[in-house]
């Protein structure tokens, strides 16, 4: 899925302003350079002038900052390194951690929009890529999850 779409969906779900997006990106790594103009360019549609594609690293910074914002920082642990490559499975995993969702919660989110997922299918999405039961999270599944999450958060 396009990183900009993930950002737009999470931003809408939480009703975040452009400054919040910048703040969340920098929470994971204060040295990460992003400004409000960059965030606005990420939030534009592909056909609008000034649109810029969001890199995997920038989305990873945003999602890690979201986790720190919603769950807090564990002082006992060293800061995690931010991923440079991100895929749909990792996006789903980071959203699950950020919103403290259990399997039941995630299945309810999928069911609320008419996209039924079994517990074993859901578990396969969170396995390591080399595992025999690993399953890739396709764009349609992530898009449906983001839509259901938005319904859950915004009512």
């Amino acid at each position: 899925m396009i990183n900009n779409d993930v950002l737009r969906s999470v931003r809408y779900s939480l009703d975040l302003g452009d400054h919040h997006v910048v703040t969340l990106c920098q929470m994971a790594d204060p040295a990460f350079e992003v400004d409000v103009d960059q965030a606005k360019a990420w939030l534009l549609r592909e056909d609008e002038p000034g649109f810029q594609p969001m890199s995997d690293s920038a989305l990873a910074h945003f999602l890690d900052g979201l986790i720190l914002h919603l769950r807090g920082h564990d002082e006992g642990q060293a800061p995690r390194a931010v991923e440079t490559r991100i895929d749909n499975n990792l996006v789903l995993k980071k959203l699950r951690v950020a919103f403290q969702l259990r399997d039941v919660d995630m299945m309810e989110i999928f069911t609320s929009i008419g996209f039924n997922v079994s517990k074993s299918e859901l578990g396969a999405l969170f396995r390591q890529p080399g595992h025999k039961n690993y399953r890739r999270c396709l764009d349609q599944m992530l898009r449906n999850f983001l839509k259901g999450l938005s319904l859950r958060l915004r009512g």
Side-chain angles (χ1 to χ4, degrees):
M1 192 165 165
I2 298 172
N3 294 342
N4 299 62
D5 292 339
V6 174
L7 176 66
R8 279 191 290 268
S9 180
V10 173
R11 179 181 181 258
Y12 172 76
S13 297
L14 296 174
D15 196 23
L16 299 175
D18 298 336
H19 292 284
H20 289 104
V21 171
V22 172
T23 302
L24 289 176
C25 287
Q26 292 178 334
M27 280 181 100
D29 180 9
F32 183 70
E33 293 186 28
V34 64
D35 59 12
V36 175
D37 293 330
Q38 179 71 55
K40 287 181 180 181
W42 288 336
L43 295 166
L44 294 173
R45 297 277 176 201
E46 290 82 7
D47 56 352
E48 293 180 309
F51 168 81
Q52 290 182 358
M54 185 178 203
S55 68
D56 285 350
S57 176
L59 181 60
H61 277 87
F62 173 75
L63 293 173
D64 285 349
L66 183 66
I67 291 169
L68 291 173
H69 175 69
L70 295 175
R71 297 202 51 178
H73 181 68
D74 186 5
E75 298 298 328
Q77 287 187 326
R80 292 178 34 125
V82 178
E83 294 85 359
T84 55
R85 285 286 302 147
I86 195 164
D87 63 1
N88 291 349
N89 292 64
L90 193 55
V91 170
L92 198 62
K93 187 181 290 187
K94 287 181 179 289
L95 290 173
R96 179 183 187 170
V97 170
F99 293 105
Q100 301 179 27
L101 301 172
R102 297 182 325 239
D103 288 346
V104 174
D105 300 323
M106 293 190 73
M107 289 180 357
E108 285 175 3
I109 288 170
F110 280 115
T111 303
S112 71
I113 55 161
F115 192 86
N116 294 325
V117 177
S118 70
K119 187 171 182 169
S120 60
E121 286 177 308
L122 191 60
L125 297 171
F126 298 109
R127 299 208 181 274
Q128 294 298 320
H131 192 277
K132 69 177 184 168
N133 292 332
Y134 171 78
R135 179 176 172 202
R136 282 190 48 229
C137 179
L138 301 177
D139 290 349
Q140 178 187 12
M141 181 174 271
L142 182 58
R143 198 172 291 114
N144 281 314
F145 178 77
L146 289 169
K147 185 178 178 182
L149 182 64
S150 180
L151 286 173
R152 182 181 181 133
L153 295 175
R154 290 189 69 111

